[in-house]
Amino acid sequence: MALALRGQRAVALLHFLCFLWAVFALSQNLGVPRSVRKEQDKTYAGQWKYLTFLNQVLQTILYALCSLIDVVALCIPSKEKRVSYVVVPIRDFIFSAFVFPVGLFVAVAFWGLYAYDRELIYPAELDAINPSWLNHSMHTTILPLLVVELVICAHKYPRRMTGILGLCAFAAVYLMWIFWVHHVGGIWAYPILGVLGPCEKAIFLICAVCVMITFYFLGEQLTKWLWAKRRKKCT
């Protein structure tokens, strides 16, 4: 029992630290002075047109829910069952359908395009605006955070079709959003979309959604493999 309690406290501490980091990264992203924002950031929708920023919001929500569950379990055990019944399914769905596939996609797509031609995703002029640590907080540290969450928390994945439909709905809404931003604001959230023709743009976006779905399967399989292995050790 003591060992279990210590483990529960350790998980709660890690979740709280992840929550603090997510809030810090989000606030710093929002806190870049308006005077040095790049032109696209000052236009219609501001930071809310970037998947990177939306992913940070999702991570912040996830760790807020995780911390809430942990605090109730440790401090108000009599309410744990009731809170877990409502909050845990929401937490697990957000992680499985959104945070893991979208977060992994953000990191892989950003650094992949950056290595190919950074001007397509993160022009060199941004180095004078965003400090390198802020860039890494948006595109690099999300990976270790995903790994930490996989290791310390056994998320229950929804039915596969439900999870994939949730992810596809998110992707579809986001794609409609960036096209709307272009229609109203006259700019593309990502420079690469401005250099692609209509057919190339369609192929690129379809491939992006397919990669996200692949990452959904990866998260599902990693969770099954990791936690099945742990349960086997405990028996």
Side-chain angles (χ1 to χ4, degrees), residues 39-188:
E39 197 60 35
Q40 289 95 325
D41 289 353
K42 300 177 187 176
T43 54
Y44 186 77
Q47 294 289 85
W48 292 93
K49 58 180 168 284
Y50 301 115
L51 188 60
T52 296
F53 182 78
L54 296 177
N55 178 62
Q56 284 189 320
V57 172
L58 287 170
Q59 283 200 331
T60 305
I61 293 171
L62 172 72
Y63 288 118
L65 293 176
C66 289
S67 296
L68 171 64
I69 294 166
D70 294 336
V71 168
V72 171
L74 289 171
C75 303
I76 324 173
S78 61
K79 303 287 186 183
E80 180 184 6
K81 198 168 183 181
R82 183 182 302 175
V83 171
S84 295
Y85 179 78
V86 175
V87 182
V88 168
I90 298 173
R91 178 204 66 183
D92 289 346
F93 188 82
I94 289 175
F95 176 80
S96 60
F98 305 139
V99 170
F100 186 87
V102 174
L104 190 54
F105 175 81
V106 164
V108 171
F110 176 83
W111 289 113
L113 287 170
Y114 189 98
Y116 176 72
D117 181 357
R118 67 171 297 178
E119 296 300 317
L120 295 175
I121 191 73
Y122 196 80
E125 64 187 39
L126 294 184
D127 291 340
I129 298 173
N130 293 328
S132 61
W133 69 264
L134 183 57
N135 178 28
H136 285 295
S137 76
M138 295 185 290
H139 303 112
T140 307
T141 59
I142 53 179
L143 282 178
L145 289 180
L146 291 177
V147 173
V148 167
E149 188 60 22
L150 272 175
V151 170
I152 68 174
C153 190
H155 292 280
K156 183 179 180 182
Y157 269 64
R159 293 179 61 182
R160 184 170 289 175
M161 186 56 67
T162 302
I164 292 174
L165 285 176
L167 175 59
C168 288
F170 174 86
V173 170
Y174 180 69
L175 290 179
M176 288 189 289
W177 171 235
I178 58 176
F179 275 95
W180 175 255
V181 168
H182 177 258
H183 172 71
V184 175
I187 62 164
W188 288 109

Side-chain angles (χ1 to χ4, degrees), residues 13-23 63 145 148-149 152:
L13 177 60
L14 282 171
H15 274 149
F16 184 64
L17 291 175
C18 288
F19 172 67
L20 289 181
W21 170 255
V23 170
Y63 288 118
L145 289 180
V148 167
E149 188 60 22
I152 68 174

